[in-house]
């Protein structure tokens, strides 16, 4: 396959935070690696009336810390054009078409187009329809749309949005982003499972007692209070990132590493999630909201957050997967803001061994084995084993077999957005979300949301900087477990 890709990117929301922090640096990295070279161009669109020169100077600013030289950055930025655009105005799409055709000519792009929707989702449907009606979709090149989250607010709104977008694009032209699926250690989950026969052979309810997924953040709202207050942790994190990780952990081995097979294996898991009735939602899901701590405001005091907000900033839940492999194995998930540390990790606890061989007692029990997969900021894994303490007798002692990537290795890995943009250029949608996955995960989330929305929560119920409400610990204690990661 030819390394250099030919494409025109049209970025809606080209002045926004995501474009500046992630998209331009990712495009630059792809440029440095030769995937983008002479035959690419970018049109940034947004409401502000910027000139091309101003836009190019902003693009150069965003890559300042990674640029090879000023000349190199300027050469890269020279492929960028700006067009002020109101997404509702059809005439603006006509101007966009003229510019797109000019750039096609100038850079010989073979009419390949990637439309990147990096703005508020309320515009996604309108943009897609106008792209089609105003003739921006080409017939000889490819037309692909990258869609940012959130894709809907619940199942109904996601379906409505999907119907609007699919009036203009086919499912195989849609690249719904979940940037967790571009993270190296998330991609490593199937590699670890299916690349190591000994692991895959114990990856079931005969050997595993429970699985724990934690995505915690230490920060509060920053400038995102307005968005977050309408969303909450369940929609913002569990519906997408947490359930995607869970699906990768729980899926059966796909017949190949291809978009169709992987996505179908994940969809099977999402379909098999046990739906709870009201009593079981309240029993198995915990919501929390942080209150103030020393020098840190509580959620309700954050900018653009309602002073009596009922929005959860923390969720812990026990998810059950009704497949033969996972019968009786709880998947505990946990995510929240203003927790003690920013960490992404998976802990898989294996069933303990009742061996009488060791001199174990209450103070010094024979520990369960567990495998930890560190997603971020540390990347790697470790496997906790029982050995014997040095000296006489058979007192148990725990050691870990571990491998963690060095900071240099982590820094040199392609960033999630870089990887996903390259996948999109290659027409590989393996690590994007198919509609079937999205539909199933929203249906699951909606049942929890509905129960929560019927009852007022007693918020705030955890202190900023803690590991969430006490009920999150009780959720596991009831089953005889504990959170393995408990800093
Ligand atoms: P932002 O508010 O910083 O940028 C929004 C962009 O849309 C701006 O360029 C603005 O000019 C443009 N815009 C708004 N209304 C417009 C209109 N009527 N016509 C034309 N242009 C208009 O938002 P962001 O943080 O860059 O996020 C963009 C998308 O990416 C959102 O869907 C968001 O949920 C998603 N996202 C962002 C992040 C992040 O880290 N920023 C992370 C994950 C997902």
């Amino acid at each position: 396959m030819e390394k250099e890709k030919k494409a025109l990117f049209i970025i809606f929301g080209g002045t926004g935070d995501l474009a500046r922090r992630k998209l331009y640096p990712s495009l630059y990295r792809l440029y440095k690696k030769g995937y983008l070279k002479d035959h690419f161009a970018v049109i940034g669109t947004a409401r502000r009336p910027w000139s091309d020169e101003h836009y190019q100077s902003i693009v150069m600013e965003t890559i300042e810390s990674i640029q090879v030289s000023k000349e190199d950055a300027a050469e890269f930025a020279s492929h960028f054009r700006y067009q002020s655009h109101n997404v509702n105005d059809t005439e603006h799409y006509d101007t966009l078409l003229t510019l797109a055709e000019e750039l096609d000519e100038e850079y010989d792009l073979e009419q390949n187009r990637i439309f990147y929707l990096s703005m508020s989702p309320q515009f996604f449907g309108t943009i897609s329809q106008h792209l089609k009606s105003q003739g921006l979709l080409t017939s000889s090149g490819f037309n692909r749309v990258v869609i940012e989250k959130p894709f809907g607010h619940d199942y109904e709104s996601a379906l409505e949005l999907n119907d609007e977008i699919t009036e203009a694009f086919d499912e195989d032209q849609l690249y719904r982003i979940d940037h967790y699926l571009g993270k190296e250690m998330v991609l490593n989950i199937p590699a670890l499972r299916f690349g190591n026969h000994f692991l895959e052979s114990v990856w079931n309810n005969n050997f595993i007692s429970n699985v724990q997924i934690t995505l915690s953040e230490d920060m509060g709202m920053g400038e995102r209070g307005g968005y977050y207050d309408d969303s909450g942790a369940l929609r913002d994190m569990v519906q997408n990132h947490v359930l995607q990780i869970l699906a990768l952990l729980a899926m059966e081995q796909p017949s190949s590493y291809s978009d169709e097979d992987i996505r179908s294996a994940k969809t099977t898991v999402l379909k098999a999630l046990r739906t709870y009735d009201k009593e079981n939602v309240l029993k198995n899901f915990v919501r929390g909201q942080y209150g103030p701590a020393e020098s840190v405001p509580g959620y309700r005091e954050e900018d653009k957050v309602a002073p009596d907000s009922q929005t959860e900033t923390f969720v812990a839940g026990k998810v059950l997967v009704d497949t033969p492999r996972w019968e009786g194995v709880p998947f505990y998930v946990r995510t929240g803001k203003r927790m003690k540390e920013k960490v992404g990790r998976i802990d898989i606890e294996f069933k303990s061994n009742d061996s009488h061989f060791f001199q174990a007692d209450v103070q010094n029990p024979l520990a369960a084995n567990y495998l930890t997969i560190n997603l971020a900021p540390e990347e790697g894994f470790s496997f906790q084993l029982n050995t014997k303490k040095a000296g006489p007798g058979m007192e148990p002692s725990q050691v870990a077999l571990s491998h963690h990537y060095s900071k240099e290795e982590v820094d040199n890995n392609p960033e999630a957005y870089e990887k996903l943009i390259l996948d999109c250029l290659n027409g590989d949608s393996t690590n994007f979300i198919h509609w079937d996955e999205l539909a199933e995960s929203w249906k699951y989330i909606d049942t929890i949301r509905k129960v929560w929305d019927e009852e007022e929560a007693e918020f705030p119920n955890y202190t900023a900087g803690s590991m969430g409400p006490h009920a999150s610990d009780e959720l596991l204690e009831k089953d005889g477990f504990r959170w393995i990661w408990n800093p």
Side-chain angles (χ1 to χ4, degrees):
M1 205 189 327
E2 188 74 21
K3 185 171 185 185
E4 185 189 354
K5 309 293 165 208
K6 294 186 173 187
L8 170 66
F9 292 84
I10 302 184
I11 301 181
F12 290 86
T15 61
D17 174 66
L18 184 77
R20 294 183 200 218
R21 276 194 313 109
K22 299 289 181 189
L23 306 187
Y24 302 145
S26 297
L27 289 172
Y28 180 67
R29 289 195 185 96
L30 291 174
Y31 170 77
K32 284 322 299 163
K33 291 176 184 169
Y35 293 109
L36 299 174
K37 212 166 150 194
D38 302 323
H39 302 290
F40 83 98
V42 180
I43 303 177
T45 77
R47 276 175 305 189
R48 296 176 205 185
W50 282 0
S51 64
D52 286 345
E53 291 69 32
H54 182 65
Y55 181 47
Q56 291 171 0
S57 71
I58 296 283
V59 169
M60 285 196 276
E61 267 174 34
T62 68
I63 55 171
E64 221 159 56
S65 62
I66 51 171
Q67 73 186 21
V68 171
S69 68
K70 271 218 153 62
E71 294 68 40
D72 186 62
E75 161 54 26
F76 168 73
S78 72
H79 290 247
F80 286 65
R81 304 285 187 283
Y82 184 80
Q83 207 225 296
S84 164
H85 185 91
N86 177 343
V87 291
N88 294 309
D89 187 339
T90 46
E91 274 181 31
H92 284 193
Y93 292 84
D94 298 338
T95 327
L96 199 56
L97 174 61
T98 311
L99 181 55
E101 285 173 344
E102 276 171 29
L103 291 170
D104 255 342
E105 275 289 300
E106 184 178 340
Y107 290 103
D108 180 24
L109 305 175
E110 295 180 352
Q111 297 208 325
N112 293 330
R113 291 187 186 160
I114 293 181
F115 305 97
Y116 201 118
L117 309 189
S118 175
M119 51 191 293
S120 168
Q122 58 174 315
F123 300 120
F124 293 170
T126 313
I127 298 173
S128 309
Q129 288 171 0
H130 284 127
L131 287 174
K132 183 166 188 194
S133 68
Q134 304 315 113
L136 273 116
L137 309 191
T138 63
S139 48
S140 59
F142 60 66
N143 297 282
R144 296 174 188 151
V145 199
V146 184
I147 307 169
E148 272 296 335
K149 76 165 199 184
F151 198 101
H153 202 61
D154 53 18
Y155 173 70
E156 283 305 323
S157 57
L159 180 63
E160 206 175 299
L161 176 57
N162 201 54
D163 286 346
E164 282 174 21
I165 296 176
T166 50
E167 274 176 35
F169 294 95
D170 296 333
E171 176 66 33
D172 64 6
Q173 295 175 310
L174 301 183
Y175 291 72
R176 298 182 194 84
I177 282 232
D178 181 330
H179 70 278
Y180 270 72
L181 295 185
K183 286 182 185 275
E184 205 43 58
M185 288 311 296
V186 173
L187 296 169
N188 243 311
I189 296 171
L192 269 177
R193 284 188 55 190
F194 308 127
N196 300 291
H197 184 57
F198 83 95
L199 260 189
E200 186 53 11
S201 45
V202 295
W203 208 262
N204 55 51
N205 59 358
N206 289 328
F207 295 93
I208 291 179
S209 69
N210 73 96
V211 177
Q212 305 180 10
I213 301 170
T214 301
L215 302 180
S216 63
E217 290 176 58
D218 55 353
M219 301 293 281
M221 287 307 118
E223 290 171 2
R224 288 185 78 222
Y227 159 75
Y228 195 86
D229 209 35
D230 274 343
S231 164
L234 187 68
R235 289 187 173 114
D236 191 46
M237 295 293 290
V238 183
Q239 180 271 327
N240 36 44
H241 314 315
V242 171
L243 289 184
Q244 279 295 319
I245 292 172
L246 188 148
L248 287 169
L249 289 166
M251 71 184 180
E252 296 303 314
Q253 180 159 1
S255 30
S256 73
Y257 187 72
S258 68
D259 46 4
E260 223 172 278
D261 290 340
I262 296 257
R263 299 194 318 189
S264 133
K266 284 194 290 171
T267 306
T268 306
V269 173
L270 295 168
K271 273 194 181 142
L273 300 184
R274 186 176 307 170
T275 312
Y276 293 133
D277 59 12
K278 181 173 177 178
E279 189 191 340
N280 277 300
V281 166
L282 296 173
K283 202 165 109 193
N284 294 315
F285 270 83
V286 172
R287 55 179 160 166
Q289 187 192 76
Y290 61 87
E294 244 176 83
S295 74
V296 173
Y299 177 68
R300 289 177 175 179
E301 288 97 57
E302 296 266 20
D303 196 23
K304 301 204 186 96
V305 169
D308 57 352
S309 173
Q310 281 285 307
T311 302
E312 77 286 351
T313 59
F314 175 95
V315 177
K318 170 176 165 179
V319 181
L320 296 174
V321 183
D322 285 328
T323 60
R325 183 191 282 262
W326 297 114
E327 204 188 320
V329 180
F331 284 70
Y332 298 107
V333 303
R334 172 173 64 159
T335 182
K337 297 272 184 197
R338 279 273 186 245
M339 291 175 65
K340 206 163 191 171
E341 280 174 43
K342 180 176 169 60
V343 158
R345 63 183 273 163
I346 300 161
D347 294 288
I348 292 140
E349 183 169 338
F350 292 86
K351 290 188 172 168
S352 4
N353 174 2
D354 288 332
S355 172
H356 298 296
F357 183 74
F358 280 94
Q359 292 151 348
D361 56 30
V362 182
Q363 271 84 41
N364 187 20
L366 193 60
N369 301 119
Y370 53 87
L371 170 70
T372 298
I373 304 176
N374 300 94
L375 308 175
E378 206 178 15
E379 297 186 12
F381 34 84
S382 65
F383 197 21
Q384 181 93 10
L385 297 172
N386 285 306
T387 56
K388 73 172 277 301
K389 255 196 189 139
M394 266 291 157
E395 256 194 83
S397 157
Q398 283 80 47
V399 294
L401 289 180
S402 66
H403 177 77
H404 288 95
Y405 296 96
S406 68
K407 184 169 179 327
E408 201 185 359
E409 281 171 310
V410 172
D411 290 348
N412 282 336
N413 278 339
E415 213 265 340
Y417 272 92
E418 174 189 338
K419 217 161 1 190
L420 294 172
I421 293 173
L422 181 59
D423 283 351
C424 179
L425 276 165
N426 283 325
D428 177 357
S429 53
T430 311
N431 293 309
F432 293 82
I433 312 290
H434 190 276
W435 165 249
D436 295 345
E437 298 170 71
L438 194 69
E440 293 306 324
S441 49
W442 270 127
K443 285 183 203 162
Y444 183 75
I445 292 302
D446 284 355
T447 57
I448 300 159
R449 188 73 266 164
K450 189 164 166 284
V451 172
W452 282 357
D453 286 347
E454 284 168 5
E455 288 183 19
E456 201 158 297
E458 286 179 24
F459 284 161
N461 61 352
Y462 71 98
T463 310
S466 71
M467 285 306 288
H470 188 51
S472 154
D473 297 321
E474 287 169 347
L475 182 70
L476 277 71
E477 283 161 15
K478 290 192 286 215
D479 296 338
F481 300 123
R482 61 179 179 86
W483 288 110
I484 288 172
W485 187 62
N486 197 9

